[in-house]
Amino acid sequence: MFLASVSPSSSSSLRLSLLRLLKPQRLPSLPRPFRHFIPPARGVSASALSAASANAPALLPQKDSVGKAEKSHWKASIDFKWIRDNRDAVASNIKIRNSSANLDLVLELYAKTLDAQKEVERLRGERNVVANKMKGKLEPLERQKLVQEGKNIKDSLVTLEEDLVKLIDELQQEAQCIPNMTHPDVPIGGEDCSAVRKMVGSARKFGFPVKDHVQIGKELDLFDFDAASEVSGSKFYYLKNEAVLLEMALINWTLSEVIKRGFTPLITPEIVRGSVVEKCGFQPRGTNTQVYSIEDSDQCLIGTAEIPVGGIHMDSILPNSSLPLKYIALSHCFRTEAGAAGLATRGLYRVHQFSKVEMFILCQPEDSDYHLEELIKIEEDLFSLLRLHFKTLDMASGDLGAPAYRKFDVEAWMPGLGRYGEISSASNCTDYQSRRLGIRYRPVDNASPNNSSSPKKGKGSTSPTQFVHTLNATACAVPRMIICILENYQQEDGSVIIPDPLRPFMGGLEVIAPRPR
């Protein structure tokens, strides 16, 4: 996917007539969520660590008859003890990821929270002692003394429990700034340090002056940026004529190819709750967000189908037998693209609204590396079938979004732009998202007479639950695929040849030809 760990433009062009209710919120920036299971170093069992951290005690105030704890922000299942015990590794990871997370503050808040919990437990114990004493026969004076003592304990307990809730909320918010740990083979550094994993094909040699997709589209009457700018604002577009058929063909061909590989097709909601956006690792609000928020609500427009697909199994325990779950989702995507300017954003390359087909997998922890390879192969197979020249990159640590343990980008040669451009991305997010979304599974218990896990807690297998791993990958980001096809398949007479795999999905059309003048 193209949405990085996710700045809204102050330009009046973003105050869109098409999206009058929608605008990026200029509120203080929320911290980015944190993948709370820390992956092991080489030679350590990922499944063992995942199981241990999945069952770590949560830092949550208990409901008490003395007073109800204040409702707080959603909480992820963070293994704070692991973070504390592996402080050096976490600090090093924060540094190589160029993260602004404050580890010292997280650990300080964690220590304070533990102390506050101990004090709450001590006071509850004292309260119980007083309550037990009052059950017996007592002199009025002695009973009155115990009543007053109980009242003092109650008042202290209410105050302390309120302080504990605030401490836990602050701890959660700070901890969610900490990024996912990083795969040991990931190159360290900025984007320039990313390593080429694979190079496919070679750049086409042209015997005539090469045009970019904007010029091609204008001459073939395929899009209208000027009208869209008047109607909606900059970085919007109308697709026209054969470009409409080309978008539909790309979507339907991609869906048909990926469904053959065992993926379940989805069309997702395109408005989701802001909390779901956060749980998937993106900033729904703040001056640096890429997300359009709906004013006076807790809802946002999605920047990728990864978000609603990630939420489909939120707060559930999946049957072991159902894993892996593989989805191929079609949606429109909306991004502020704040701060984007220059030649790299020309035409369709960086826009506010576009169609995208996204793959998403939920699996057991020990299988996520395998499924990452599966997603990369699907991407490479699709782009090879279209005969594009592209390279697959193992992205460097400084270019990883907060959720990604490892990420591979595919960049295709775009001759009109004269450079490679990103057309796809595949990420293994391990249990970063599932710990926020509350998606678990129950491993098979061989000692149990019923070896198939039950989706409901306490039924079937007695094995403790574990968090699933989630992965995502772009199968087709439509505007950038249109760029690749128009620029790589352009002909000297101004026409564009349709790649063979797409022709059946365009009613047999083989060439987009110039219209008679």
Side-chain angles (χ1 to χ4, degrees), residues 186-258:
V186 166
I188 306 302
E191 184 178 358
D192 293 344
C193 297
S194 300
V196 177
R197 165 192 166 110
K198 187 175 185 179
M199 183 76 74
V200 175
S202 57
R204 175 186 168 190
K205 291 181 169 46
F206 294 86
F208 56 89
V210 175
K211 304 169 186 173
D212 70 5
H213 71 282
V214 177
Q215 184 177 355
I216 296 170
K218 183 176 180 180
E219 293 176 358
L220 295 177
D221 196 24
L222 299 180
F223 9 88
D224 191 331
F225 293 101
D226 293 336
S229 180
E230 291 297 321
V231 171
S232 301
S234 64
K235 298 179 186 174
F236 284 89
Y237 57 95
Y238 286 97
L239 291 183
K240 300 171 63 179
N241 300 312
E242 292 90 347
V244 176
L245 302 180
L246 183 54
E247 168 156 330
M248 296 297 109
L250 283 165
I251 290 171
N252 288 318
W253 172 71
T254 302
L255 287 171
S256 67
E257 288 294 319
V258 180

Side-chain angles (χ1 to χ4, degrees), residues 296-330:
D296 299 323
S297 83
D298 68 340
Q299 295 172 312
C300 304
L301 293 178
I302 64 170
T304 169
E306 171 192 346
I307 296 169
V309 179
I312 197 171
H313 295 293
M314 188 165 58
D315 299 323
S316 62
I317 299 176
L318 302 174
N320 180 76
S321 58
S322 71
L323 298 177
L325 287 170
K326 301 179 181 181
Y327 294 107
I328 178 73
L330 168 64

Side-chain angles (χ1 to χ4, degrees), residues 428-448:
N428 182 356
C429 296
T430 57
D431 61 356
Y432 171 92
Q433 293 171 327
S434 63
R435 282 181 172 271
R436 289 158 187 71
L437 292 164
I439 310 174
R440 302 171 181 254
Y441 77 101
R442 196 181 300 278
V444 171
D445 182 357
N446 293 325
S448 171

